[in-house]
Amino acid sequence: MQQGESIVFQSFRQAMAWLHTWFGLVLGFVLMAAFFFGALSVFDREIDRWAIPATRIEPQPMPSFERVLRPAFERMQPTRAAVDAMRPRVDGAMPERFDTVANWSAYTTHRDPVLALYAGYEVPGAKDPDEWIWAYATIDPRDGAALPDDRLKVGSDFFYPMHYSLTLDWKSLGYWIVGFSALMMLAALVSGVVMHRKLFRELFTFRPGKGGLRSVLDLHNLTGVVALPFHFFFAFTGLLIFAGIYFPIGHTQLHDLHDLHEQAEARETGLPHERAGVPAGLANVDAMVAEAQRRWEAHDKAGEVGFLVLQHVGDANGYVSVYRAGTDRIALVGDGIHFDASTGELIREDPPATPVARVAEFLTGLHLQHFRHWLLRWLYVLGGLAGAVCIATGFVFFVDKRKRQHARQGSQGARLVDALAVATVTGMVVAALGILVANRLLPDDLPARGGWERCAFWAAWALALLHAGWRSAPVARGLANPAWREQCGAIAVLAVAAVALNWVTTGDHLLRTLGAGYWPVAGMDLALLASAALAALAARTLSRRVAATAAGPVRKREAAHA
């Protein structure tokens, strides 16, 4: 098709091929981040322990409220930044201290060595009375000691949000970008199935010996077909999980109806929607937790507490909700049991979910993988990495198929796409390793340490993009971009450096962590070394291909003169 002509498709399959190619190219840059960081997020808590040596302890159960949690809650207050952010939404001056506690909550999982605490406070004079100001803390569940808030949880507070929001929080922009990409991914998957009519043959077809575009296309098809159910399911369930952001009818078009529903629900369940305005004490919460565990055990359910919530603290309408961790099943269940906060009497035990709710719990749980099943978690990692490989090989195939034609036409299109592809594929890995190296190099007492680690990530990624563009000149002549090989070498060096720095700065070398059976840190080091080996192998393979390509014309000239 010549430039300027309209797009005319000779068949439905050809239209699907166009859709698959261009949707995959334009949105592949976002989906690459979603797949790669989604794979890392499967072990986000383990990455946290590697990044914060003070948390390298065994996972702990929900601790005693009276002995550990209550003192920690009582000393919590919003940060100055949170107060300043809230100030424009308040009529009048902000108080020096927030005393009206709307919510105390504590959250943990079976993989968490530390405990996350949240405290919400009502704000006098708030323009929206339903809006609270929040305080956050992380504590050692063994004794309640506060851990520094400026230590970045690289896995759960950075890699995990990167997977679904790109950490672009302004106006929820990142959620919308990833959500739109996931929706278009479903279309690309359907179009890919239409394109590849012989799916079962392609499932068992990989010809690395062919070299060039054939092996790249084989790998693209193989990773796409093998993980097709995984890709489709996770794009679909991801959209379902964030449907409230994409279609916020409850708080916009149906705002009044939403409020009426909450009031009716409060009357039906006995869980008050608002404070009574009458002061009241707090009964023994540990006794309530023990009663909840006894009731779970009576129904043959695991008794680990995952979420503890105190609502309307210090008020006659206060209540305590105890939710089960639910690690014994895939479905994301809570099995909440609720008590009157001032008397400790049982208010409500959540009834069995409806069939529709059970489906929602299963789909959500399967996506968020809170269950205790290590083999399935590793399958998630492989599925995510398969998606990343599928996208990466799609980029390579797109550029290699067009770069010689663009070179003859004098077009820079292939060069631009190749530079972006390098930055998206290898550059993303360089950035992820850059934040890990920075995590081990930065001083422990550095103010705003987490901010510096984030800066290291984005700086490494920006440098990878600049390097990819700077080294992309050969693509305009129909040749390979040496940035692929060079950034693979950088990945190998950075991965080994991260392992060495962990040893030097903490003393937790591989022999020590393997001997102690401490797999969160040992597994991270092993994964980094495996990544270094694969990157070094890729760099060597790319070097050989460049050498073979350069030697081809020489051999032809020698044969012609012979």
Side-chain angles (χ1 to χ4, degrees), residues 187-200:
L189 289 174
V190 172
S191 61
V193 170
V194 174
M195 287 171 56
H196 303 290
R197 292 170 292 184
K198 301 177 182 179
L199 287 178
F200 287 102

Side-chain angles (χ1 to χ4, degrees), residues 132-325:
W132 304 337
I133 188 170
W134 288 90
Y136 308 93
T138 303
I139 65 169
D140 186 331
R142 299 172 299 180
D143 55 13
L147 297 175
D149 290 332
D150 61 348
R151 298 301 301 269
L152 178 64
K153 298 176 182 176
V154 174
S156 59
D157 283 354
F158 191 77
F159 288 165
Y160 179 50
M162 181 70 71
H163 153 63
Y164 59 79
S165 72
L166 306 177
T167 68
L168 298 176
D169 297 328
W170 181 76
K171 301 292 185 182
S172 299
L173 180 62
Y175 294 89
W176 283 96
I177 293 174
V178 175
F180 178 74
S181 300
L183 184 63
M184 294 301 100
M185 176 184 166
L186 294 177
L189 289 174
V190 172
S191 61
V193 170
V194 174
M195 287 171 56
H196 303 290
R197 292 170 292 184
K198 301 177 182 179
L199 287 178
F200 287 102
R201 188 184 72 178
E202 291 176 349
L203 179 64
F204 301 102
T205 302
F206 179 48
R207 293 160 286 188
K210 288 283 186 179
L213 287 182
R214 184 67 261 174
S215 60
V216 171
L217 185 59
D218 282 350
L219 187 57
H220 178 74
N221 293 337
L222 179 65
T223 51
V225 172
V226 167
L228 179 62
F230 177 93
H231 298 159
F232 187 91
F233 174 82
F234 276 85
F236 176 69
T237 54
L239 289 169
L240 288 181
I241 289 171
F242 291 109
I245 293 178
Y246 308 135
F247 304 101
I249 58 174
H251 293 280
T252 52
Q253 292 94 329
L254 303 180
H255 187 276
D256 294 338
L257 183 60
H258 180 267
D259 288 345
L260 290 174
H261 170 73
E262 287 189 340
Q263 295 170 16
E265 186 178 44
R267 290 192 298 269
E268 179 183 343
T269 61
L271 304 177
H273 178 56
E274 297 177 346
R275 298 175 73 90
V278 179
L282 182 61
N284 190 297
V285 175
D286 288 344
M288 302 180 207
V289 171
E291 174 63 15
Q293 291 176 317
R294 186 191 68 76
R295 289 176 176 270
W296 290 331
E297 186 177 0
H299 292 90
D300 294 324
K301 297 176 180 177
E304 298 179 25
V305 179
F307 195 33
L308 179 65
V309 182
L310 284 77
Q311 199 77 6
H312 311 315
V313 179
D315 187 82
N317 274 352
Y319 61 92
V320 177
S321 299
V322 188
Y323 296 94
R324 197 167 68 86

Side-chain angles (χ1 to χ4, degrees), residues 372-413:
R372 193 190 298 267
H373 195 302
W374 294 106
L375 176 59
L376 193 53
R377 301 185 80 85
W378 277 108
L379 291 177
Y380 276 44
V381 172
L382 293 177
L385 294 180
V389 171
C390 183
I391 294 170
T393 50
F395 286 150
V396 172
F397 183 78
F398 180 92
V399 172
D400 278 7
K401 188 177 180 180
R402 292 164 175 80
K403 64 185 180 184
R404 291 176 181 82
Q405 178 185 358
H406 284 205
R408 290 192 297 269
Q409 297 173 346
S411 171
Q412 299 293 313

Side-chain angles (χ1 to χ4, degrees), residues 54-71:
T55 67
R56 293 182 184 180
I57 57 176
E58 292 301 320
Q60 304 292 313
M62 185 71 72
S64 163
F65 178 85
E66 309 298 337
R67 183 177 59 85
V68 176
L69 297 182
R70 185 167 187 166

